Amino acid sequence: MKLPKGKRLTKQRKVILEALKGVKTHPTADEVYDMVRKSLPKISLGTVYRNLDILCEMGLIQKLDIAGRQKRFDGNPKPHCHVRCIECGRVCDVDYEPSIELKSKNFSGFKVLGYSFDFFGICPECQLALDGDSDM
Amino acid sequence: MKLPKGKRLTKQRKVILEALKGVKTHPTADEVYDMVRKSLPKISLGTVYRNLDILCEMGLIQKLDIAGRQKRFDGNPKPHCHVRCIECGRVCDVDYEPSIELKSKNFSGFKVLGYSFDFFGICPECQLALDGDSDM
DNA sequence: ATTTCTGCAAACGATTTGCAAGTAA
DNA sequence: TTACTTGCAAATCGTTTGCAGAAAT
């Protein structure tokens, strides 16, 4: 792994990156904290936040700009679409590639750098839970 | 204006709605607070937050699920695309209608209810400011 | 009259930060 | 050996909430 100048490869940083790469979910910072505490019980939540930001700057992971109070992190830094459960907040990858035709659109003078296209709905688990509720 | 049962039309609620309808920007709660304090100097920020949520429930406005620390509010409740400036956070409407073909896509078992499609980039003002910086 | 609503202030949850001690390079 | 990092705790930021008085129905 090549590091930017002045950045060090600490045990904490390595464990956080491996935890995120080893999972297909899109955990929040405190979920990452719980994951890495198994191997680094003394790590602090502040360190997790700091390293998640640094790994984003390094382009190894991404912070998702998706609804919900807590930010979520994705071990895959390549832009792609997600679905978010409006009940539990769970985020999953989606096999969908939007076809964007930007010609002759009014962008109010903005220099457009990219886009985010995300779906929302109810995840399988919450569908079951909601169905169960309506039976009672 | 028809109100849901148990909801009252207070002066504060009316002024907040008119402020948001009368503007093409997408202000944050505290920007709305500043706007309405001109006519209601004693209004509290808590009241602004409460009424913005209620106006959302009533379907008269919408809360934008767009990046940035603060939520933004839109006097137009109809779903539509936005551009967001990554420098200053400003949000503008975009004349763009995505063509979504959802057939045979993998949504991980989610019941999909909708989507949000937003662009990001640099607004005209921040382009000028950044150009100015690079000249110095 | 009865409920909803308001202003105020305190509480809250997520994230950031200052600092002294620890550690990678 | 020196600059970056850590753990800890306090601070900050945006938003929510409890409550007693005020206002809409």
Side-chain angles (χ1 to χ4, degrees):
Chain A
M1 187 193 329
K2 63 178 191 310
L3 296 164
K5 59 168 173 21
K7 292 298 177 200
R8 294 175 182 179
L9 183 55
T10 62
K11 192 191 305 185
Q12 290 85 339
R13 194 160 296 166
K14 196 192 304 188
V15 170
I16 289 170
L17 178 60
E18 283 166 1
L20 205 50
K21 291 286 185 186
V23 105
K24 60 281 150 217
T25 61
H26 304 75
T28 60
D30 67 274
E31 285 170 348
V32 173
Y33 178 52
D34 287 340
M35 293 160 72
V36 299
R37 259 197 300 181
K38 285 162 190 161
S39 47
L40 299 174
K42 301 280 293 178
I43 199 171
S44 75
L45 182 56
T47 294
V48 171
Y49 272 106
R50 269 185 292 231
N51 278 306
L52 287 170
D53 276 346
I54 289 170
L55 292 168
C56 284
E57 288 170 19
M58 294 167 69
L60 298 173
I61 66 172
Q62 67 172 311
K63 190 187 288 194
L64 299 184
D65 273 338
I66 200 168
R69 29 185 79 72
Q70 296 179 78
K71 295 285 183 200
R72 290 179 174 273
F73 296 85
D74 192 333
N76 174 9
K78 192 171 153 293
H80 56 284
C81 295
H82 298 95
V83 223
R84 176 174 181 279
C85 180
I86 60 174
E87 289 293 324
C88 68
R90 179 197 315 262
V91 171
C92 291
D93 287 333
V94 153
D95 174 23
Y96 181 72
E97 187 75 32
S99 57
I100 9 133
E101 304 173 27
L102 303 184
K103 52 181 179 296
S104 74
K105 300 302 175 189
N106 171 21
F107 282 102
S108 312
F110 275 64
K111 179 188 299 180
V112 177
L113 299 176
Y115 61 88
S116 72
F117 193 165
D118 294 306
F119 298 88
F120 56 88
I122 316 277
C123 74
E125 287 76 3
C126 288
Q127 286 177 51
L128 284 175
L130 293 171
D131 288 349
D133 285 352
S134 64
D135 284 351
M136 300 194 294
Chain B
M1 187 190 334
K2 64 178 189 310
L3 297 164
K5 57 169 174 22
K7 292 297 176 201
R8 294 177 180 176
L9 183 57
T10 62
K11 192 192 305 184
Q12 290 84 340
R13 193 160 297 166
K14 195 192 304 189
V15 170
I16 289 169
L17 179 60
E18 283 167 0
L20 205 49
K21 292 286 185 186
V23 104
K24 59 285 152 211
T25 63
H26 303 74
T28 60
D30 66 273
E31 285 170 349
V32 174
Y33 178 52
D34 286 341
M35 291 160 71
V36 299
R37 260 196 302 180
K38 285 161 189 160
S39 47
L40 299 173
K42 300 281 293 178
I43 199 171
S44 75
L45 183 54
T47 295
V48 171
Y49 272 105
R50 270 184 293 232
N51 278 307
L52 287 170
D53 277 345
I54 289 169
L55 292 168
C56 284
E57 289 169 19
M58 293 168 70
L60 298 173
I61 67 171
Q62 69 173 308
K63 191 187 288 195
L64 299 183
D65 273 340
I66 199 166
R69 29 188 80 75
Q70 297 178 77
K71 295 283 183 202
R72 289 179 174 273
F73 296 85
D74 193 333
N76 173 10
K78 191 169 154 293
H80 56 284
C81 295
H82 298 96
V83 222
R84 176 175 180 278
C85 179
I86 60 174
E87 289 293 324
C88 68
R90 180 197 315 262
V91 171
C92 290
D93 287 335
V94 153
D95 173 23
Y96 180 71
E97 186 76 29
S99 57
I100 8 133
E101 304 173 27
L102 302 184
K103 51 179 179 298
S104 74
K105 300 304 177 190
N106 171 20
F107 282 103
S108 311
F110 276 64
K111 178 189 297 180
V112 177
L113 299 176
Y115 61 88
S116 71
F117 193 165
D118 293 306
F119 297 88
F120 56 88
I122 315 277
C123 74
E125 287 75 5
C126 287
Q127 288 177 49
L128 284 175
L130 293 171
D131 288 348
D133 285 351
S134 64
D135 285 349
M136 301 194 291

